[in-house]
């Protein structure tokens, strides 16, 4: 639903509701709200000549005085199938310049946009609208969600490699192999620091059955610089787009957790969620069949919504706010466990 509210000066504007919720099993908590978006960043954003295929949320550090969200020749929410019933396509928590460095403006294709600062250079298509709201009426609380992401990333990073999961490497590739079935369906790799370098061009994940959950923890801290990496999940590469193919089967259940990075630079063809909530991230000339979450975000890339769909942890971690439940295209959720060593359990969605 939606409602109206009055702002200073007497103008009446539309206030958005949150992205619609998936009804979680009683013993699961909701994901941080960031997982409801193809691209999520509470900080500054600078992206040109790319697109974010699903609902998109940029916080701009809450800066309403000068442009802190800069896009140009950029498509937002251009896949109607990814919208929830709330029709939220774009959320901007700062001032937006949608014509940065390009002749063409930013286009919001499907869903309504909500912003709390000034917005220029953004066109709206297919009968939707841009709506001015107060910061408290944005569909997502950027500050609160950033805190949830920090807790969740740390909790995932504390998980250790699943027994039977092996790591092997060459000068240019990393292979993550599940050598034994996982009783709970979760396949976790805790990479040694320094495993991913600029010379690595391929990551292969093998032995994980369809529906299995892949968690790759990258413990490198501070400045992390990667080369152009192509990800292959059980023989399926991620170099596909919505018009040229289908995502790898495991793309919806894979997460790369850069939980200690403060600056992250990467490129290439990825699958799953690129999760770097504490990092100023540059992702250029690449594609992720999934989503990206970063403290700040810049580059030229394509993000295709493909959220995690099967992870569930029964008990929330201490200090992790529940946050807003989110709609997920693949129909699942994640929550965080309360104790060290708590086990991730795969839970299929029932209709």
């Amino acid at each position: 639903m939606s409602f109206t509210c009055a702002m200073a000066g007497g103008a009446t504007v539309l206030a958005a509701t949150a992205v619609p919720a998936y009804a979680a099993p009683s013993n699961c908590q909701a994901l941080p709200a960031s997982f409801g978006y193809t691209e999520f960043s509470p900080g500054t954003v600078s992206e040109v000549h790319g697109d974010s295929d699903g609902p998109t949320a940029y916080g701009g550090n809450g800066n309403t005085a000068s442009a802190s969200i800069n896009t140009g020749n950029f498509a937002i929410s251009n896949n109607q199938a990814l919208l929830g019933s709330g029709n939220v396509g774009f959320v901007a928590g700062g001032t937006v310049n949608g014509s940065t460095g390009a002749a063409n403006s930013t286009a919001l294709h499907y869903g309504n946009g909500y912003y709390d600062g000034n917005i220029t250079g953004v066109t709206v298509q297919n009968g939707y609208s841009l709506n001015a709201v107060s910061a408290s009426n944005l569909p997502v609380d950027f500050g609160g969600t950033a805190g949830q992401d920090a807790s969740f990333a740390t909790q995932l990073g504390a998980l250790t490699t699943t027994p039977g999961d092996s790591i092997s490497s060459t000068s240019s590739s990393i292979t993550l192999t599940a050598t034994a079935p996982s009783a709970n369906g979760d396949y976790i790799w805790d990479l040694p620091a320094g495993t991913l370098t600029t010379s690595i061009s391929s990551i292969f994940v093998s032995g994980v059955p369809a529906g299995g959950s892949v968690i790759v923890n990258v413990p490198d801290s501070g400045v992390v610089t990667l080369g152009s990496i192509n990800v292959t999940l059980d023989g399926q590469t991620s170099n596909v787009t919505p018009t040229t193919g289908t995502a790898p089967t495991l793309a919806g259940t894979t997460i790369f957790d850069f939980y200690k990075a403060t600056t992250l630079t990467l490129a290439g063809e990825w699958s799953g969620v690129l999760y770097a909530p504490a990092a100023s991230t540059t992702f250029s000339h690449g594609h992720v069949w999934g989503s990206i979450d970063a403290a700040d975000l810049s580059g030229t890339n394509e993000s295709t919504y493909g959220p995690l769909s099967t992870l569930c942890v029964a008990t929330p971690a201490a200090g992790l706010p529940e946050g807003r439940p989110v709609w997920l295209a693949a129909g699942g959720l994640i929550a965080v466990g309360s104790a060290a060593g708590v086990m991730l359990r795969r839970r299929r969605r029932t209709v």
Side-chain angles (χ1 to χ4, degrees):
M1 65 178 181
S2 62
F3 57 92
T4 59
C5 63
M7 296 182 68
T12 300
V13 296
L14 182 67
T17 56
V19 179
Y22 161 61
S26 60
N27 64 337
C28 296
Q29 297 295 310
L31 280 165
S34 58
F35 281 85
Y37 299 90
T38 303
E39 293 190 2
F40 179 89
S41 173
T44 58
V45 173
S46 180
E47 292 197 278
V48 296
H49 298 288
D51 58 75
S52 176
D53 284 352
T56 302
Y58 300 145
N61 286 322
N63 186 350
T64 57
S66 60
S68 50
I69 300 169
N70 296 281
T71 57
N73 196 18
F74 195 78
I76 293 177
S77 191
N78 58 355
N79 188 334
Q80 188 176 22
L82 303 180
L83 283 178
S85 60
N87 289 331
V88 177
F90 182 43
V91 185
T95 296
V96 180
N97 179 355
S99 298
T100 302
N104 298 322
S105 68
T106 295
L108 172 58
H109 290 261
Y110 294 100
N112 296 313
Y114 300 90
Y115 64 96
D116 66 356
N118 295 320
I119 189 167
T120 59
V122 177
T123 62
V124 184
Q125 302 179 7
N126 300 305
Y128 293 97
S129 62
L130 286 173
N131 304 282
V133 300
S134 64
S136 62
N137 282 319
L138 290 171
V140 62
D141 173 5
F142 285 100
T145 301
Q148 295 171 23
D149 280 330
S151 296
F152 184 63
T154 299
Q155 180 68 23
L156 288 180
L159 299 173
T160 57
T161 298
T162 304
D165 289 355
S166 68
I167 302 171
S168 61
S169 62
T170 68
S171 59
S172 61
S173 67
I174 303 294
T175 300
L176 309 177
T177 305
T179 63
S182 170
N184 59 22
D186 300 312
Y187 298 81
I188 302 163
W189 284 270
D190 193 29
L191 299 183
T195 300
L196 296 183
T197 66
T198 54
S199 66
I200 298 299
S201 58
S202 300
I203 296 175
F204 300 95
V205 177
S206 63
V208 179
S213 299
V214 177
I215 301 169
V216 181
N217 289 320
V218 183
D220 302 78
S221 60
V223 178
V224 178
T225 302
L226 307 181
S228 181
I229 295 177
N230 290 348
V231 174
T232 300
L233 300 176
D234 276 328
Q236 293 182 282
T237 60
S238 53
N239 57 344
V240 292
T241 68
T243 57
T244 62
T246 56
T249 302
L250 295 174
T253 58
T254 295
I255 183 168
F256 290 88
D257 182 25
F258 297 88
Y259 60 102
K260 290 184 178 180
T262 56
T263 301
L264 176 64
T265 302
L266 71 166
E269 302 284 342
W270 292 75
S271 289
V273 179
L274 292 176
Y275 201 45
S280 178
T281 299
T282 301
F283 184 41
S284 295
H285 306 293
H287 175 270
V288 53
W289 192 283
S291 56
I292 187 167
D293 185 329
D296 302 294
L297 184 59
S298 62
T300 303
N301 63 276
E302 179 179 358
S303 300
T304 303
Y305 192 52
L308 293 169
S309 59
T310 61
L311 287 179
C312 171
V313 178
T315 309
L320 178 66
E322 290 188 6
R324 301 185 184 190
V326 297
W327 170 81
L328 298 178
L333 52 93
I334 294 178
V336 178
S338 63
V342 69
M343 184 174 293
L344 286 173
R345 297 182 300 172
R346 184 166 63 91
R347 182 175 299 276
R348 303 296 297 180
R349 178 177 179 178
T350 56
V351 178

